[in-house]
Amino acid sequence: MKIGIIGAGSIATFIMEETQQKQKDELTVKSLFVRNLKKYEQLAADYGVELFDDIDQFLDSGIDIVVEAANVAAAQQFVPKVLEKKEVIIISIGALADEAFLEEVRQVGKQYNHSIYLPSGAIGGIDAIQNANGLGELKSVLLTTRKPAHSFGENIVGEKVIFQGSAAEAIEKFPKNINVSIILSLAGIGVENTKVDIIADSTVTKNHHQIQAEGTFGSMTFQIENEPMPTNANTSMLAALSVLGTLKKLQTNIKIGL
């Protein structure tokens, strides 16, 4: 599978390193779409990829799928265009908090028969949440996120609950800190019904996420403690791995958890 990536940050570099240098499952990054060709010349040389700053030329460069690995603004600008020609993996999940954009993506994908893939990112249990809501009988979902206090600009000793409310409210108030609530809401009962607690804690050094859900199926609890990427402390290693895992799932004829 030949991959095109929008963006050239830490996750894009991780994907190139794992595919180009370690020859993972016949996956290869062929093309990068970037704003500044000059800035990324060395990156292209290091990983043997071709740079583009024209989206149409990028999409026509012989790639099979596009990974959006830039930011929310780039996702909103380019994903609809991408879907006219290719399937896409969206990493900047925050873009889908905009309901109008989410609906646009759905409609364009449907019109051109191209799928949109959303990696689970920094959390797990998304398949279980989807399955539990298969008949619309998932009753409640609570995400409790605990992060180092300094990541919220909080100068406290111990812990402080800084937010309790719906995922919709959490996304609005903490757009850079609570992307996990978006994928959880999309998989389950929506942004208005998914509840979120956010705790700033001076005693922790990593991000902790706990998911609790109840319904006619029973109840479940998942807990994840995330290590950051070595190259980017603001991105969890699991988020990067979930992108690579999605690409690998698309390659195999045995689909686990789908």
Side-chain angles (χ1 to χ4, degrees):
M1 179 186 290
K2 295 177 181 177
I3 305 160
I5 303 179
I6 297 175
S10 56
I11 289 184
T13 302
F14 171 79
I15 296 170
M16 287 189 289
E17 182 175 328
E18 291 298 314
T19 56
Q20 272 36 1
Q21 295 185 356
K22 299 181 182 179
Q23 299 296 305
K24 293 262 181 154
D25 303 307
E26 298 182 354
L27 296 170
T28 182
V29 178
K30 188 178 189 299
S31 308
L32 283 185
F33 176 78
V34 295
R35 300 281 192 182
N36 187 332
L37 297 178
K38 186 81 173 171
K39 181 178 179 180
Y40 297 105
E41 285 179 348
Q42 188 57 53
L43 188 68
D46 290 344
Y47 294 103
V49 300
E50 190 172 0
L51 297 180
F52 295 89
D53 61 1
D54 180 282
I55 191 67
D56 291 304
Q57 292 177 5
F58 167 73
L59 293 172
D60 292 336
S61 64
I63 55 179
D64 300 310
I65 192 169
V66 171
V67 175
E68 176 281 311
N71 52 52
V72 166
Q76 292 178 329
Q77 181 178 357
F78 296 115
V79 165
K81 178 74 172 178
V82 170
L83 281 169
E84 294 179 11
K85 295 184 177 182
K86 306 291 177 183
E87 299 197 325
V88 64
I89 296 173
I90 300 177
I91 297 175
S92 302
I93 197 74
L96 301 179
D98 182 332
E99 291 188 9
F101 178 71
L102 175 59
E103 184 58 26
E104 179 185 5
V105 166
R106 281 196 180 114
Q107 292 303 321
V108 176
K110 183 177 181 180
Q111 179 181 350
Y112 291 92
N113 196 29
H114 287 144
S115 295
I116 304 104
Y117 300 99
L118 308 179
S120 55
I123 59 174
I126 294 300
D127 56 341
I129 292 291
Q130 285 181 304
N131 293 339
N133 201 40
L135 296 176
E137 295 181 347
L138 184 60
K139 303 303 183 184
S140 66
V141 179
L142 169 64
L143 168 67
T144 302
T145 289
R146 182 183 299 269
K147 291 189 175 187
H150 65 79
S151 66
F152 297 103
E154 292 281 342
N155 185 19
I156 63 170
V157 176
E159 65 176 50
K160 177 183 177 183
V161 178
I162 62 172
F163 176 84
Q164 287 183 308
S166 70
E169 295 168 320
I171 292 161
E172 182 178 352
K173 292 184 178 181
F174 301 95
K176 295 183 179 179
N177 288 284
I178 203 68
N179 279 350
V180 292
S181 67
I182 301 172
I183 187 70
L184 183 61
S185 299
L186 289 171
I189 56 178
V191 293
E192 297 296 340
N193 294 317
T194 301
K195 303 304 178 184
V196 176
D197 291 350
I198 303 176
I199 301 170
D201 191 336
S202 65
T203 68
V204 301
T205 59
K206 302 170 187 175
N207 295 341
H208 299 244
H209 301 292
Q210 179 177 279
I211 300 164
Q212 297 168 282
E214 294 184 357
T216 57
F217 73 94
S219 63
M220 64 177 103
T221 300
F222 300 96
Q223 187 163 313
I224 299 105
E225 179 180 305
N226 283 310
E227 294 283 353
M229 291 186 71
T231 56
N232 184 352
N234 293 321
T235 301
S236 75
M237 191 64 195
L238 185 58
L241 289 168
S242 74
V243 181
L244 186 61
T246 300
L247 289 165
K248 292 175 69 176
K249 285 177 186 176
L250 295 176
Q251 281 287 94
T252 180
N253 62 343
I254 299 177
K255 312 293 185 184
I256 301 173
L258 297 181

